[in-house]
Amino acid sequence: MFIAFRREVETALAAALDDLGYPTGDLGIEEPPADVPAVLASSAAFRLAGEAGAPPPQVAAELADALDLTEANYVGGATAQGPYVNFTPSEEYYAATLESAQANGWGRLPDSGESVVVEHTSANPTGPVHVGRARNPILGDAVSRVLDYAGHDVTREYYVNDAGRQMAVFTWAYENFDEADLPEPGRDKPDYDLVRYYRAGNEFLEEGEPEAVEEAEAEIAAIIEGLDRGDEATYERVGEVVEGVLGGMRETLERLPAEFDEFVRETEFLRDGSTHEVVADLKASEYAFEEEDAWQLDLEEWGIEQSFVFLRSDDTTLYTTRDLAHHEWKFDTFDRAITVLGEDQELHANKLRAALDIRGNDTDQLEELFYAWVNLPGGESMSTRQGTGVDMDDLLDEAVLRAEEAVRSRMDDRIRDDDLTEADVERIARQVGIGAVRYDIVSKQPTKAITFDWEDALDFEGQSAPYVQYAHARACGILGEAGDATATLDADLLTTDEERNLLQAVARFPVVVESAADELEPHQVATYARDFVDTFNAFYRSCPVLADDVDDDLRDARLALVEASRNTLANALSVLGIEAPASM
């Protein structure tokens, strides 16, 4: 309803400005401060004061008088307050909000007709997922979810780097080392099993006898060359390693969960010849030059000092070359292409964009979302594995363990006849623990570095996933306790400030989704959810729902508001990729 309300305000303001002879280009629509009893306000009077030759408060009063709201359904009135015009909702606005928010799809926007591919994570399949990259799958998944809620046709893509030197080294090591000579795997998962070969191979190449290393390098070069020329036998050899490691990585990512629709392999753009077509065309470009037996692009025209190398001296392609073909496939397949990247990849992204421009692509289709790193505080008792730092599996295990301790502690403090079963405790610990990790990461602006803190992340009373999840569970509990009572749509009975504030907060959810999708900022949804819980808790404290002294009609209207709140919280958590427990 908020979106419809805003459109009515825009229409009425534009008409009033036109009638008064003022330009309608900037309506100055904004959300008023919390202490102003309005849904939207206009600051257009500031802009118009010079042209009107009058102070802003006088212009605002003139504008308020000129507004015609007779055709509006959801705008109940407009009044001037100093230099602002404030717009208040009608009773129909509240009623329509309550009715719409009781539907399971509340917050979803109409289909936009736009297809979007979101590439995220895309970690090289060389071993277990590392905590340092945790922000990529969590942020990428949340961006995908908010775009989906905003009506876009979203494809979530993992770009599998299954060509190049790393995979050649991995394949050579897997074929040449005996498992009996390797340490025990850290976990009973294929990525932990296979990474032992990769580490042993790299150690050998760094410290082995020169003649043996030279022989190994020749075999590795042969694998790289076989991949580049499309040799099927080489693809099969490399694929055995890639698919094994990728399978283990996917198990970890599914715990977050980070969902993918497509696993697009780098070698696909060697198999179909598109990479070599890119090379041939780039060689003919006015920006191409050959130096040190490598073909490169001069990118000074784009303000980039480093050249873009697209063909090695041995005539094999690079990751960057194959990524050009990959992105051109994206442009042909989707309307928009979004890539989630660590801040250390910004130079690569700029060089890729320049090369795509040289190739004649419309790079307006491409958007990069850069993020800063996630750090762990010193002294955390989390396992490390032979120089790899903390694995994602370790972080998630620790999160679930700590969440279980918190749940059991709260149970001890509040013994009830319907105490949770062991299965309930395990479920809630998983939902809360992993939700805490996701919320703590996604709730921050992507460009700000994060130091993950367990106490903050698992604080049931603070700015955390458990705080939001507990409010959802509380709403479920009220509805469950209501028994045969029915949630009845009668917003006219909801007249207190706490009830109206909660109704307005419910109504804002779709526009928060819209804004978060437009700005690629899922943290807006996290902030909204946290603030929504504050508003819901104020209602819970002041407006009893099932008390004996509440008459049936008011009880049923408040139940409808609780149901709308539950749906809002559930869907906000869903946008963030966090489960909404029915009990905690």
Side-chain angles (χ1 to χ4, degrees), residues 347-391:
L347 176 59
H348 163 73
N350 291 338
K351 291 166 71 173
L352 177 69
R353 183 180 285 272
L356 286 166
D357 193 22
I358 289 172
R359 290 272 296 149
N361 294 282
D362 178 10
T363 53
D364 288 342
Q365 289 179 258
L366 178 62
E367 301 165 75
E368 297 94 357
L369 180 59
F370 296 104
Y371 63 89
W373 302 118
V374 176
N375 304 307
L376 292 172
E380 285 292 342
S381 59
M382 303 191 67
S383 61
T384 59
R385 307 189 189 281
Q386 299 181 354
T388 65
V390 180
D391 294 321

Short mmCIF file of all heavy atoms in Angstrom, two decimals, residues 347-391:
data_model
loop_
_atom_site.label_atom_id
_atom_site.label_comp_id
_atom_site.label_asym_id
_atom_site.label_seq_id
_atom_site.Cartn_x
_atom_site.Cartn_y
_atom_site.Cartn_z
N LEU A 347 40.30 -3.76 -9.85
CA LEU A 347 41.12 -3.49 -11.04
C LEU A 347 40.79 -4.48 -12.15
O LEU A 347 40.64 -4.09 -13.32
CB LEU A 347 42.61 -3.57 -10.68
CG LEU A 347 43.58 -3.40 -11.86
CD1 LEU A 347 43.38 -2.05 -12.54
CD2 LEU A 347 45.03 -3.56 -11.39
N HIS A 348 40.69 -5.75 -11.79
CA HIS A 348 40.33 -6.75 -12.80
C HIS A 348 38.98 -6.42 -13.44
O HIS A 348 38.83 -6.50 -14.67
CB HIS A 348 40.26 -8.15 -12.18
CG HIS A 348 39.53 -9.15 -13.02
ND1 HIS A 348 40.06 -9.67 -14.17
CD2 HIS A 348 38.29 -9.68 -12.88
CE1 HIS A 348 39.17 -10.50 -14.72
NE2 HIS A 348 38.10 -10.53 -13.96
N ALA A 349 38.01 -6.01 -12.61
CA ALA A 349 36.69 -5.69 -13.13
C ALA A 349 36.74 -4.50 -14.09
O ALA A 349 36.07 -4.49 -15.13
CB ALA A 349 35.73 -5.40 -11.97
N ASN A 350 37.55 -3.49 -13.75
CA ASN A 350 37.66 -2.32 -14.61
C ASN A 350 38.33 -2.68 -15.94
O ASN A 350 37.93 -2.18 -17.00
CB ASN A 350 38.45 -1.22 -13.90
CG ASN A 350 37.70 -0.61 -12.74
OD1 ASN A 350 36.47 -0.69 -12.68
ND2 ASN A 350 38.41 -0.02 -11.80
N LYS A 351 39.35 -3.53 -15.89
CA LYS A 351 40.02 -3.96 -17.12
C LYS A 351 39.08 -4.80 -17.98
O LYS A 351 39.05 -4.65 -19.21
CB LYS A 351 41.29 -4.74 -16.76
CG LYS A 351 42.37 -3.88 -16.14
CD LYS A 351 43.47 -4.69 -15.49
CE LYS A 351 44.34 -5.39 -16.51
NZ LYS A 351 45.51 -6.05 -15.86
N LEU A 352 38.31 -5.65 -17.34
CA LEU A 352 37.35 -6.46 -18.09
C LEU A 352 36.30 -5.58 -18.76
O LEU A 352 35.96 -5.78 -19.94
CB LEU A 352 36.67 -7.45 -17.13
CG LEU A 352 35.58 -8.33 -17.74
CD1 LEU A 352 36.18 -9.35 -18.70
CD2 LEU A 352 34.79 -9.05 -16.64
N ARG A 353 35.81 -4.59 -18.02
CA ARG A 353 34.80 -3.69 -18.58
C ARG A 353 35.37 -2.93 -19.80
O ARG A 353 34.69 -2.76 -20.81
CB ARG A 353 34.34 -2.71 -17.50
CG ARG A 353 33.24 -1.76 -17.93
CD ARG A 353 32.86 -0.83 -16.79
NE ARG A 353 32.06 -1.51 -15.79
CZ ARG A 353 30.73 -1.61 -15.84
NH1 ARG A 353 30.07 -1.08 -16.86
NH2 ARG A 353 30.06 -2.23 -14.89
N ALA A 354 36.63 -2.49 -19.70
CA ALA A 354 37.25 -1.78 -20.82
C ALA A 354 37.39 -2.71 -22.02
O ALA A 354 37.13 -2.30 -23.17
CB ALA A 354 38.61 -1.24 -20.39
N ALA A 355 37.81 -3.95 -21.79
CA ALA A 355 37.96 -4.90 -22.89
C ALA A 355 36.61 -5.22 -23.53
O ALA A 355 36.50 -5.37 -24.76
CB ALA A 355 38.61 -6.19 -22.38
N LEU A 356 35.58 -5.31 -22.71
CA LEU A 356 34.23 -5.53 -23.25
C LEU A 356 33.80 -4.34 -24.10
O LEU A 356 33.14 -4.50 -25.14
CB LEU A 356 33.24 -5.74 -22.11
CG LEU A 356 33.31 -7.09 -21.38
CD1 LEU A 356 32.53 -7.04 -20.07
CD2 LEU A 356 32.78 -8.21 -22.28
N ASP A 357 34.19 -3.15 -23.68
CA ASP A 357 33.88 -1.94 -24.44
C ASP A 357 34.59 -1.97 -25.79
O ASP A 357 34.01 -1.63 -26.83
CB ASP A 357 34.30 -0.72 -23.61
CG ASP A 357 33.73 0.58 -24.17
OD1 ASP A 357 32.71 0.52 -24.89
OD2 ASP A 357 34.28 1.65 -23.87
N ILE A 358 35.84 -2.37 -25.78
CA ILE A 358 36.60 -2.50 -27.03
C ILE A 358 35.92 -3.49 -27.97
O ILE A 358 35.90 -3.30 -29.20
CB ILE A 358 38.05 -2.94 -26.73
CG1 ILE A 358 38.82 -1.79 -26.07
CG2 ILE A 358 38.77 -3.42 -27.99
CD1 ILE A 358 40.19 -2.17 -25.56
N ARG A 359 35.34 -4.50 -27.40
CA ARG A 359 34.65 -5.52 -28.20
C ARG A 359 33.28 -5.04 -28.70
O ARG A 359 32.57 -5.76 -29.40
CB ARG A 359 34.45 -6.78 -27.36
CG ARG A 359 35.73 -7.54 -27.08
CD ARG A 359 36.03 -8.54 -28.19
NE ARG A 359 34.98 -9.56 -28.23
CZ ARG A 359 34.59 -10.19 -29.34
NH1 ARG A 359 35.12 -9.86 -30.51
NH2 ARG A 359 33.66 -11.12 -29.30
N GLY A 360 32.87 -3.83 -28.31
CA GLY A 360 31.62 -3.27 -28.79
C GLY A 360 30.40 -3.67 -28.00
O GLY A 360 29.27 -3.55 -28.48
N ASN A 361 30.60 -4.11 -26.75
CA ASN A 361 29.47 -4.51 -25.90
C ASN A 361 28.85 -3.31 -25.20
O ASN A 361 29.53 -2.30 -24.95
CB ASN A 361 29.94 -5.52 -24.84
CG ASN A 361 30.37 -6.83 -25.45
OD1 ASN A 361 29.55 -7.67 -25.81
ND2 ASN A 361 31.69 -7.03 -25.57
N ASP A 362 27.58 -3.43 -24.87
CA ASP A 362 26.89 -2.43 -24.07
C ASP A 362 27.16 -2.74 -22.60
O ASP A 362 26.46 -3.55 -21.99
CB ASP A 362 25.39 -2.45 -24.37
CG ASP A 362 24.61 -1.44 -23.53
OD1 ASP A 362 25.26 -0.61 -22.86
OD2 ASP A 362 23.37 -1.50 -23.53
N THR A 363 28.17 -2.10 -22.04
CA THR A 363 28.56 -2.41 -20.66
C THR A 363 27.60 -1.83 -19.64
O THR A 363 27.78 -2.05 -18.43
CB THR A 363 29.99 -1.93 -20.38
OG1 THR A 363 30.11 -0.54 -20.72
CG2 THR A 363 31.00 -2.73 -21.19
N ASP A 364 26.58 -1.09 -20.09
CA ASP A 364 25.54 -0.65 -19.15
C ASP A 364 24.77 -1.83 -18.59
O ASP A 364 24.11 -1.71 -17.54
CB ASP A 364 24.57 0.32 -19.83
CG ASP A 364 25.19 1.68 -20.09
OD1 ASP A 364 26.23 1.99 -19.46
OD2 ASP A 364 24.65 2.44 -20.93
N GLN A 365 24.83 -2.97 -19.27
CA GLN A 365 24.18 -4.17 -18.77
C GLN A 365 24.89 -4.74 -17.55
O GLN A 365 24.32 -5.56 -16.83
CB GLN A 365 24.15 -5.26 -19.86
CG GLN A 365 23.21 -4.99 -21.02
CD GLN A 365 23.30 -6.12 -22.04
OE1 GLN A 365 23.94 -5.98 -23.07
NE2 GLN A 365 22.64 -7.23 -21.76
N LEU A 366 26.14 -4.35 -17.36
CA LEU A 366 26.98 -4.96 -16.33
C LEU A 366 27.05 -4.08 -15.09
O LEU A 366 27.26 -2.88 -15.17
CB LEU A 366 28.40 -5.17 -16.89
CG LEU A 366 29.44 -5.77 -15.95
CD1 LEU A 366 29.03 -7.15 -15.48
CD2 LEU A 366 30.80 -5.82 -16.65
N GLU A 367 26.87 -4.70 -13.92
CA GLU A 367 27.00 -4.01 -12.64
C GLU A 367 27.86 -4.86 -11.72
O GLU A 367 27.68 -6.08 -11.64
CB GLU A 367 25.63 -3.80 -11.99
CG GLU A 367 24.65 -2.99 -12.82
CD GLU A 367 23.23 -3.12 -12.31
OE1 GLU A 367 22.93 -2.49 -11.28
OE2 GLU A 367 22.43 -3.83 -12.94
N GLU A 368 28.81 -4.21 -11.04
CA GLU A 368 29.62 -4.91 -10.05
C GLU A 368 29.24 -4.45 -8.65
O GLU A 368 29.02 -3.26 -8.43
CB GLU A 368 31.11 -4.66 -10.27
CG GLU A 368 31.66 -5.17 -11.58
CD GLU A 368 31.66 -4.10 -12.66
OE1 GLU A 368 31.18 -2.97 -12.38
OE2 GLU A 368 32.14 -4.38 -13.78
N LEU A 369 29.15 -5.38 -7.73
CA LEU A 369 28.88 -5.07 -6.33
C LEU A 369 30.10 -5.52 -5.53
O LEU A 369 30.35 -6.72 -5.38
CB LEU A 369 27.62 -5.80 -5.85
CG LEU A 369 27.21 -5.59 -4.40
CD1 LEU A 369 26.97 -4.11 -4.11
CD2 LEU A 369 25.96 -6.38 -4.07
N PHE A 370 30.89 -4.55 -5.08
CA PHE A 370 32.12 -4.85 -4.36
C PHE A 370 31.87 -4.89 -2.85
O PHE A 370 31.04 -4.16 -2.33
CB PHE A 370 33.19 -3.80 -4.66
CG PHE A 370 33.62 -3.78 -6.10
CD1 PHE A 370 33.17 -2.78 -6.96
CD2 PHE A 370 34.46 -4.76 -6.61
CE1 PHE A 370 33.56 -2.75 -8.29
CE2 PHE A 370 34.85 -4.74 -7.94
CZ PHE A 370 34.40 -3.74 -8.78
N TYR A 371 32.60 -5.76 -2.17
CA TYR A 371 32.44 -5.87 -0.73
C TYR A 371 33.81 -5.92 -0.05
O TYR A 371 34.81 -6.35 -0.64
CB TYR A 371 31.65 -7.14 -0.36
CG TYR A 371 32.34 -8.43 -0.78
CD1 TYR A 371 33.23 -9.07 0.08
CD2 TYR A 371 32.09 -9.00 -2.02
CE1 TYR A 371 33.87 -10.25 -0.30
CE2 TYR A 371 32.72 -10.17 -2.41
CZ TYR A 371 33.61 -10.79 -1.55
OH TYR A 371 34.25 -11.94 -1.94
N ALA A 372 33.84 -5.47 1.19
CA ALA A 372 35.05 -5.53 2.00
C ALA A 372 35.07 -6.86 2.76
O ALA A 372 34.08 -7.60 2.81
CB ALA A 372 35.09 -4.36 2.98
N TRP A 373 36.20 -7.13 3.38
CA TRP A 373 36.40 -8.45 3.98
C TRP A 373 35.70 -8.61 5.33
O TRP A 373 35.40 -7.65 6.02
CB TRP A 373 37.90 -8.72 4.16
CG TRP A 373 38.65 -8.63 2.88
CD1 TRP A 373 39.65 -7.76 2.56
CD2 TRP A 373 38.44 -9.42 1.70
NE1 TRP A 373 40.07 -7.97 1.29
CE2 TRP A 373 39.36 -8.97 0.73
CE3 TRP A 373 37.57 -10.46 1.38
CZ2 TRP A 373 39.43 -9.54 -0.55
CZ3 TRP A 373 37.63 -11.03 0.11
CH2 TRP A 373 38.55 -10.56 -0.83
N VAL A 374 35.50 -9.87 5.68
CA VAL A 374 35.00 -10.24 7.01
C VAL A 374 36.18 -10.74 7.83
O VAL A 374 36.90 -11.64 7.40
CB VAL A 374 33.93 -11.35 6.92
CG1 VAL A 374 33.51 -11.77 8.32
CG2 VAL A 374 32.74 -10.88 6.12
N ASN A 375 36.40 -10.14 8.98
CA ASN A 375 37.49 -10.54 9.86
C ASN A 375 36.94 -11.22 11.10
O ASN A 375 35.82 -10.95 11.53
CB ASN A 375 38.31 -9.31 10.28
CG ASN A 375 38.82 -8.53 9.08
OD1 ASN A 375 39.46 -9.10 8.21
ND2 ASN A 375 38.52 -7.24 9.03
N LEU A 376 37.72 -12.09 11.66
CA LEU A 376 37.38 -12.73 12.93
C LEU A 376 38.22 -12.10 14.03
O LEU A 376 39.40 -11.83 13.83
CB LEU A 376 37.65 -14.23 12.87
CG LEU A 376 36.74 -15.03 11.94
CD1 LEU A 376 37.24 -16.46 11.84
CD2 LEU A 376 35.32 -15.01 12.44
N PRO A 377 37.62 -11.85 15.21
CA PRO A 377 38.40 -11.26 16.30
C PRO A 377 39.49 -12.21 16.77
O PRO A 377 39.36 -13.42 16.66
CB PRO A 377 37.34 -11.03 17.39
CG PRO A 377 36.25 -12.00 17.08
CD PRO A 377 36.23 -12.14 15.59
N GLY A 378 40.57 -11.66 17.27
CA GLY A 378 41.67 -12.49 17.75
C GLY A 378 41.26 -13.33 18.95
O GLY A 378 40.39 -12.96 19.72
N GLY A 379 41.88 -14.49 19.03
CA GLY A 379 41.64 -15.32 20.20
C GLY A 379 40.46 -16.25 20.10
O GLY A 379 40.15 -16.96 21.06
N GLU A 380 39.76 -16.28 18.95
CA GLU A 380 38.62 -17.19 18.83
C GLU A 380 39.12 -18.63 18.78
O GLU A 380 40.10 -18.94 18.10
CB GLU A 380 37.82 -16.88 17.56
CG GLU A 380 36.98 -15.62 17.66
CD GLU A 380 35.84 -15.75 18.65
OE1 GLU A 380 35.48 -16.88 19.01
OE2 GLU A 380 35.32 -14.73 19.09
N SER A 381 38.44 -19.52 19.48
CA SER A 381 38.82 -20.93 19.51
C SER A 381 38.21 -21.65 18.32
O SER A 381 37.33 -22.49 18.45
CB SER A 381 38.33 -21.58 20.82
OG SER A 381 36.92 -21.45 20.92
N MET A 382 38.71 -21.31 17.14
CA MET A 382 38.20 -21.93 15.92
C MET A 382 39.37 -22.62 15.22
O MET A 382 40.47 -22.10 15.16
CB MET A 382 37.55 -20.90 15.02
CG MET A 382 36.43 -20.16 15.72
SD MET A 382 35.46 -19.17 14.61
CE MET A 382 34.69 -20.42 13.62
N SER A 383 39.13 -23.80 14.70
CA SER A 383 40.21 -24.61 14.16
C SER A 383 40.78 -24.02 12.88
O SER A 383 40.11 -23.34 12.13
CB SER A 383 39.69 -26.02 13.87
OG SER A 383 38.66 -26.00 12.91
N THR A 384 42.05 -24.25 12.65
CA THR A 384 42.71 -23.87 11.41
C THR A 384 43.31 -25.12 10.79
O THR A 384 43.57 -26.11 11.47
CB THR A 384 43.82 -22.84 11.67
OG1 THR A 384 44.78 -23.42 12.56
CG2 THR A 384 43.26 -21.57 12.28
N ARG A 385 43.56 -25.07 9.49
CA ARG A 385 44.02 -26.27 8.80
C ARG A 385 45.19 -25.92 7.87
O ARG A 385 45.00 -25.40 6.79
CB ARG A 385 42.89 -26.88 7.98
CG ARG A 385 41.64 -27.14 8.83
CD ARG A 385 40.62 -27.95 8.04
NE ARG A 385 39.36 -28.00 8.76
CZ ARG A 385 39.13 -28.80 9.78
NH1 ARG A 385 40.06 -29.59 10.21
NH2 ARG A 385 37.95 -28.78 10.38
N GLN A 386 46.37 -26.19 8.32
CA GLN A 386 47.56 -26.12 7.50
C GLN A 386 47.62 -24.86 6.65
O GLN A 386 47.72 -24.90 5.42
CB GLN A 386 47.64 -27.36 6.59
CG GLN A 386 47.72 -28.66 7.39
CD GLN A 386 47.83 -29.87 6.49
OE1 GLN A 386 47.74 -29.76 5.27
NE2 GLN A 386 48.02 -31.02 7.07
N GLY A 387 47.52 -23.74 7.30
CA GLY A 387 47.69 -22.49 6.59
C GLY A 387 46.49 -21.99 5.83
O GLY A 387 46.57 -21.00 5.13
N THR A 388 45.36 -22.68 5.92
CA THR A 388 44.20 -22.24 5.15
C THR A 388 43.32 -21.29 5.95
O THR A 388 42.35 -20.77 5.43
CB THR A 388 43.34 -23.45 4.73
OG1 THR A 388 42.81 -24.07 5.90
CG2 THR A 388 44.15 -24.44 3.94
N GLY A 389 43.64 -21.07 7.23
CA GLY A 389 42.78 -20.22 8.04
C GLY A 389 41.54 -20.97 8.47
O GLY A 389 41.52 -22.19 8.57
N VAL A 390 40.46 -20.25 8.70
CA VAL A 390 39.24 -20.84 9.21
C VAL A 390 38.32 -21.20 8.04
O VAL A 390 38.03 -20.37 7.19
CB VAL A 390 38.52 -19.88 10.17
CG1 VAL A 390 37.23 -20.49 10.69
CG2 VAL A 390 39.44 -19.51 11.32
N ASP A 391 37.88 -22.44 8.03
CA ASP A 391 36.97 -22.89 6.97
C ASP A 391 35.54 -22.52 7.33
O ASP A 391 35.18 -22.42 8.52
CB ASP A 391 37.08 -24.40 6.77
CG ASP A 391 38.44 -24.81 6.21
OD1 ASP A 391 38.95 -24.07 5.35
OD2 ASP A 391 38.98 -25.84 6.64
#
